[in-house]
């Protein structure tokens, strides 16, 4: 005789109330974790334990993001750079997360709008310029724990989860930190990657910068959910919603998320921020948002907000922002000179990175191309001089 099976512990209590068995979304969006208000007010007792030097360093990295964005956009406008994705307005969300990571152990999986996160994690500024000029060598990241940038939406998420799984099997005290935008949850790659991370308890930190627009589509046209963070519940782990323009709150949330991920509990962090610049330098945001909206968000400027903390903490008197900008611009000048001096390895680079050993068909194509260039050298002149960006 088969014994009755008690499924209550695994499947919840039974109820005759349909209402009690219905899961509902809250009418309003979940709260955002915030330590410093937009006007600069805060409770000193709630701030993360960072010393004065770390606070100065955090500010320098935020200014560095702004300087890099300014210079890269100018280069693109002059035809010296390909399409570029600026992070202006997102400095706190970009830096706050990576500041909580360990560059020697953790792996960073970027998606394109996190210049200084890459630099903080070990990428050379020269290589950042080369990447946005379309040079493949700059996307190899041989000397740092950075996965090649993913422009195809969501494709890096399953790979990042796989890396996290491998580190778990190795017993590594490390996480995979995956940056992405609020448009990524619309993809199957992110859905399957997060679901798998929850199943295997991967040491994964999913980091969404919700800058309100996926190219031209506002957040409310991408999902009927009130937030990205709440989606973590469906995958069986925690979601944290944080004010993405409060760098200290972002750092503290991601530091906590990293600790939980290392212990085998993946976490989704949603940083609510705003993209002040265009989606990329090929985009015209005036077609889908108003100047008034941008001006409202400029009042929440993350650099200004953090500057007010430094002043209140008595740290600002040891910060020379003009000198920092001069140093960072000089650094950018040196990186540009190095990028300008980069010499291509030749036409064989078009075939080099596809296979460890070049197959006969590619050898044939390479020989055919080289013969064409010998017969028609003007073809390479066109390749060198073609319009870029």
């Amino acid at each position: 005789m088969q014994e009755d099976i008690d499924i209550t512990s695994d499947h919840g209590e039974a109820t005759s109330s349909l209402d009690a068995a219905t899961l509902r979304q809250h009418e309003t969006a979940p709260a955002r974790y915030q330590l410093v208000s937009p006007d600069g007010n805060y409770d000193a007792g709630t701030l993360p334990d960072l010393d004065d030097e770390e606070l100065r360093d955090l500010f320098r990295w935020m200014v560095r993001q702004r300087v890099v964005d300014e210079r890269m956009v100018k280069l693109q406008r002059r035809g010296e750079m390909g399409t570029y994705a600026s992070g202006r307005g997102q400095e706190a969300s970009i830096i706050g997360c990576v500041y909580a990571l360990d560059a020697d152990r953790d792996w960073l999986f970027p998606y394109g709008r996190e210049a200084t996160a890459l630099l903080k994690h070990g990428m050379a500024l020269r290589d950042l310029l080369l990447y946005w000029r379309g040079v493949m060598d700059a996307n190899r990241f041989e000397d740092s724990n950075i996965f090649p940038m993913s422009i195809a939406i969501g494709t890096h998420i399953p790979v990042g989860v796989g890396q996290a799984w491998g580190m778990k099997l190795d017993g590594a005290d490390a996480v995979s930190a995956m940056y992405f935008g609020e448009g990524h949850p619309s993809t199957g790659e992110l859905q399957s990657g997060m679901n798998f991370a929850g199943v295997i308890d991967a040491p994964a930190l999913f980091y969404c910068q919700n800058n309100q627009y996926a190219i031209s589509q506002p957040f409310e046209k991408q999902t009927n959910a009130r937030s990205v963070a709440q989606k973590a519940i469906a995958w069986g782990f925690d979601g944290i919603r944080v004010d993405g323009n409060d760098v200290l709150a972002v750092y503290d949330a991601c530091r906590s998320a990293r600790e939980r991920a290392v212990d085998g509990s993946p976490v989704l962090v949603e940083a609510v921020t705003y993209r002040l610049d265009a989606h990329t330098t090929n985009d015209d945001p005036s077609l889908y948002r108003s100047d008034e909206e941008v001006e409202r968000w400029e009042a929440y400027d993350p650099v200004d907000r953090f500057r007010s903390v430094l002043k209140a903490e008595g740290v600002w008197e040891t910060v020379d922002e003009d000198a920092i900008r001069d140093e960072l611009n000089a650094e950018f000048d040196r990186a540009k000179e190095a990028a300008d001096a980069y010499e291509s390895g030749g036409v064989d680079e078009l075939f080099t990175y596809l296979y460890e050993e070049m197959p006969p068909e590619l050898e044939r194509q390479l020989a055919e191309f080289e013969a064409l260039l010998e017969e028609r050298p003007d073809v390479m002149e066109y390749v060198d001089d073609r319009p870029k960006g």
Side-chain angles (χ1 to χ4, degrees), residues 71-72 75-76 78-82 125-133 135 138 331-344 388:
R71 296 293 300 272
M72 294 288 264
L75 287 179
Q76 194 278 337
R78 295 204 300 262
E80 298 183 64
M81 183 64 59
L125 182 53
R126 182 208 76 150
D127 291 348
L128 183 69
L129 272 74
L130 290 177
Y131 170 81
W132 288 106
R133 287 180 173 181
V135 176
E331 175 189 74
F332 192 95
D333 290 339
R334 292 191 296 271
K336 182 180 179 300
E337 289 178 6
D340 291 344
Y342 175 84
E343 295 185 4
S344 171
K388 302 177 179 64

Side-chain angles (χ1 to χ4, degrees), residues 112-335:
R113 197 185 305 281
E114 60 276 283
T116 46
L118 296 168
L119 300 178
K120 180 76 170 63
H121 215 67
M123 185 182 192
L125 182 53
R126 182 208 76 150
D127 291 348
L128 183 69
L129 272 74
L130 290 177
Y131 170 81
W132 288 106
R133 287 180 173 181
V135 176
M136 181 57 66
D137 274 348
N139 206 27
R140 296 172 73 179
F141 301 111
E142 293 178 327
D143 299 322
S144 57
N145 292 348
I146 302 175
F147 190 78
M149 275 189 262
S150 175
I151 300 302
I153 304 300
T155 55
H156 63 305
I157 301 298
V159 180
V161 174
Q163 172 69 17
W165 190 17
M167 292 190 296
K168 176 183 178 180
L169 295 175
D170 286 342
D173 181 21
V175 303
S176 285
M178 289 156 276
Y179 275 63
F180 59 93
E182 78 284 354
H184 286 68
S186 298
T187 68
E189 289 86 353
L190 186 138
Q191 304 279 348
S192 59
M194 286 197 173
N195 182 65
F196 190 55
V199 170
I200 64 174
D201 296 326
L205 196 171
F206 299 100
Y207 185 62
C208 175
Q209 293 190 78
N210 183 350
N211 65 16
Q212 310 306 310
Y213 287 93
I215 307 182
S216 60
Q217 289 298 310
F219 180 67
E220 60 270 17
K221 289 188 177 181
Q222 300 166 55
T223 178
N224 197 43
R226 304 293 186 193
S227 70
V228 173
Q230 71 190 60
K231 295 174 182 285
I233 298 173
W235 297 308
F237 50 86
D238 289 344
I240 300 174
R241 201 161 187 258
V242 61
D243 185 336
N245 285 7
D246 179 356
V247 69
L248 295 179
V250 173
Y251 164 77
D252 199 43
C254 290
R255 179 188 56 78
S256 174
R258 183 193 179 277
E259 291 175 355
R260 282 190 258 175
V262 167
D263 290 338
S265 300
V267 181
L268 167 60
V269 177
E270 175 193 8
V272 182
T273 182
Y274 191 82
R275 165 172 57 80
L276 291 175
D277 281 346
H279 176 71
T280 69
T281 47
N282 284 343
D283 174 40
D284 180 5
S286 68
L287 298 176
Y288 55 84
R289 68 184 190 186
S290 67
D291 292 340
E292 291 75 18
E293 178 183 302
V294 177
E295 290 172 2
R296 286 198 303 271
W297 275 94
E298 283 179 334
Y300 297 97
D301 182 277
V303 178
D304 289 344
R305 192 186 306 192
F306 189 49
R307 189 185 292 112
S308 67
V309 174
L310 298 180
K311 291 178 179 178
E313 291 293 306
V315 178
W316 184 251
E317 59 191 31
T318 61
V319 176
D320 187 337
E321 185 172 357
D322 290 336
I324 290 174
R325 279 185 165 272
D326 289 342
E327 291 172 9
L328 295 175
N329 274 299
E331 175 189 74
F332 192 95
D333 290 339
R334 292 191 296 271

